[in-house]
Amino acid sequence: MKSTLTRRGFGMAALAGLAAATLPPGRARAAGTPLNFQSIWINDPEFSGYFIALDKGYYTAEGLDVNYIPGGPDVIPQASLLTGKADIALTSLIETASAVSEKGAPFKIVGAQFQKSPDSVISLEATGIKTMKDLAGKTVACSPLSLGTFKVLLGLNGVAEDQVKIVPYAFDPTPLATGQVDAVVDFMTSLPFIVEQTSGKKASYLLFYDYGMPFGQDFVTVTEDTLKNRRKDVVGFLRASRKGWDDDFADPLKYTKEFENSWYKGNGYTPEASEFHSKIQIPLMQNPKGVFTIDDESIEKNIASLEKIGVKANKDLFDTSILAEL
């Protein structure tokens, strides 16, 4: 079975096709100030708001010529920022905070796409896993990338590490669908749907956020130099992107259909998987003050989660002043 549909697993053939072009076929470059935007993953509904902003000319209206650069399993967004390949990037919290605290990287987080990270423990409902405590005595597949955080999560919920059999996760839904494992650690934006379609059985998930590890995902990150010297461009990018996401939230299924043969082409998703992804992510992203909002409470939660896994960070990692200009 192909594993191209999971958020963290992706076939190299599809990646090669996506990485070769930053724009879908037939779309021309716009006029304006060049701005390179590095995504964190392959082209799928997780980034629809940016595709809408590109297609509808929202960036052009802000005087920007945005060059969208897809991500993938071999792409490190932070490196794109440091090498100058990208002016703005979507990054994960742990890697960004670690780069700042351990390497002195000059990063500033100016917005958060996901208020709540999609990181989850996903299982079939028949296994009876309704809380983290129910993982005791179960077999869970987890990738090395998420292993440290998952072990901390177990401890926070009163489950000893030796009570859970943790096995490698190869980003393949088959073991979960066929009952070889009781649960997997992955994003819940696509895998539950895939497992249900494969097994014919109902799947469920537990968000890390709801069980003691509240943190966001897809943080809009820039270097200190970019923030200082291109502040107007960063503001314009966020303002146009927010308009794109507002359009997506109003009618997500409209855009999954529009993008099936353009932005999403070759990513391994079925149309139904795109629809599931598009709808289920909205509550994780919305904020009464608009997409990308980071308030003091959110910052404190993110920093506290980092501390639990041994990553040092403080409020200086974030610069929310730019959000007031949107």
Side-chain angles (χ1 to χ4, degrees):
M1 175 179 293
K2 294 182 179 179
S3 59
T4 56
L5 298 182
T6 63
R7 168 60 172 81
R8 295 192 185 279
F10 183 66
M12 294 307 295
L15 174 62
L18 287 173
T22 57
L23 296 173
R27 190 179 185 283
R29 294 231 56 88
T33 302
L35 187 145
N36 295 317
F37 171 42
Q38 175 69 67
S39 183
I40 195 171
W41 197 243
I42 66 165
N43 296 4
D44 66 23
E46 187 172 337
F47 314 108
S48 294
Y50 309 109
F51 303 152
I52 294 169
L54 281 161
D55 286 355
K56 289 193 171 183
Y58 293 158
Y59 295 121
T60 303
E62 294 288 344
L64 299 173
D65 175 14
V66 171
N67 175 35
Y68 180 88
I69 309 171
D74 297 326
V75 175
I76 303 174
Q78 294 89 342
S80 294
L81 290 173
L82 291 174
T83 60
K85 178 181 179 181
D87 304 300
I88 297 177
L90 296 179
T91 70
S92 63
L93 180 66
I94 296 174
E95 285 78 8
T96 304
S98 297
V100 172
S101 63
E102 298 173 11
K103 305 295 184 180
F107 295 147
K108 289 291 183 183
I109 292 174
V110 297
Q113 179 178 320
F114 282 96
Q115 303 294 308
K116 295 183 178 182
S117 173
D119 280 288
S120 303
V121 175
I122 303 164
S123 63
L124 295 177
E125 285 191 353
T127 61
I129 298 174
K130 297 181 179 180
T131 70
M132 291 293 176
K133 288 184 178 295
D134 295 327
L135 293 176
K138 299 294 195 295
T139 299
V140 180
C142 182
S143 71
L145 182 67
S146 301
L147 186 57
T149 305
F150 177 59
K151 288 181 177 181
V152 170
L153 188 72
L154 290 174
L156 292 173
N157 288 275
V159 180
E161 186 179 328
D162 60 7
Q163 290 182 284
V164 180
K165 183 180 180 181
I166 303 175
V167 299
Y169 180 41
F171 309 107
D172 184 347
T174 305
L176 179 59
T178 58
Q180 298 174 50
V181 299
D182 300 300
V184 300
V185 175
D186 204 334
F187 275 22
M188 38 61 74
T189 45
S190 62
L191 192 65
F193 178 84
I194 298 167
V195 170
E196 288 184 5
Q197 293 299 299
T198 303
S199 68
K201 301 175 182 177
K202 184 69 175 177
S204 60
Y205 60 88
L206 306 173
L207 280 175
F208 281 24
Y209 191 99
D210 296 332
Y211 286 88
M213 291 293 289
F215 58 94
Q217 183 56 262
D218 292 9
F219 289 89
V220 183
T221 306
V222 298
T223 63
E224 293 175 353
D225 182 69
T226 296
L227 186 60
K228 177 181 178 181
N229 297 311
R230 301 193 62 182
R231 187 179 184 92
K232 179 182 177 182
D233 294 340
V234 177
V235 170
F237 173 83
L238 286 172
R239 185 159 48 218
S241 299
R242 178 178 281 182
K243 288 184 66 177
W245 279 116
D246 287 344
D247 288 355
D248 180 75
F249 294 164
D251 193 358
L253 299 189
K254 170 185 176 181
Y255 296 102
T256 59
K257 294 177 182 178
E258 284 188 13
F259 297 155
E260 182 179 349
N261 293 311
S262 57
W263 289 106
Y264 298 165
K265 189 173 183 179
N267 70 359
Y269 267 77
T270 63
E272 294 78 15
S274 291
E275 290 181 4
F276 178 89
H277 189 154
S278 295
K279 290 185 291 185
I280 201 170
Q281 70 182 359
I282 292 176
L284 303 181
M285 295 171 56
Q286 287 178 315
N287 185 291
K289 295 182 179 179
V291 180
F292 303 123
T293 297
I294 312 177
D295 55 25
D296 289 342
E297 181 182 1
S298 175
I299 290 174
E300 291 174 0
K301 287 181 177 180
N302 279 281
I303 292 175
S305 292
L306 287 171
E307 290 177 350
K308 291 172 184 176
I309 58 176
V311 177
K312 296 180 179 179
N314 56 47
K315 292 184 177 180
D316 290 340
L317 176 62
F318 302 84
D319 188 325
T320 61
S321 64
I322 207 165
L323 294 168
E325 301 177 36
L326 301 190

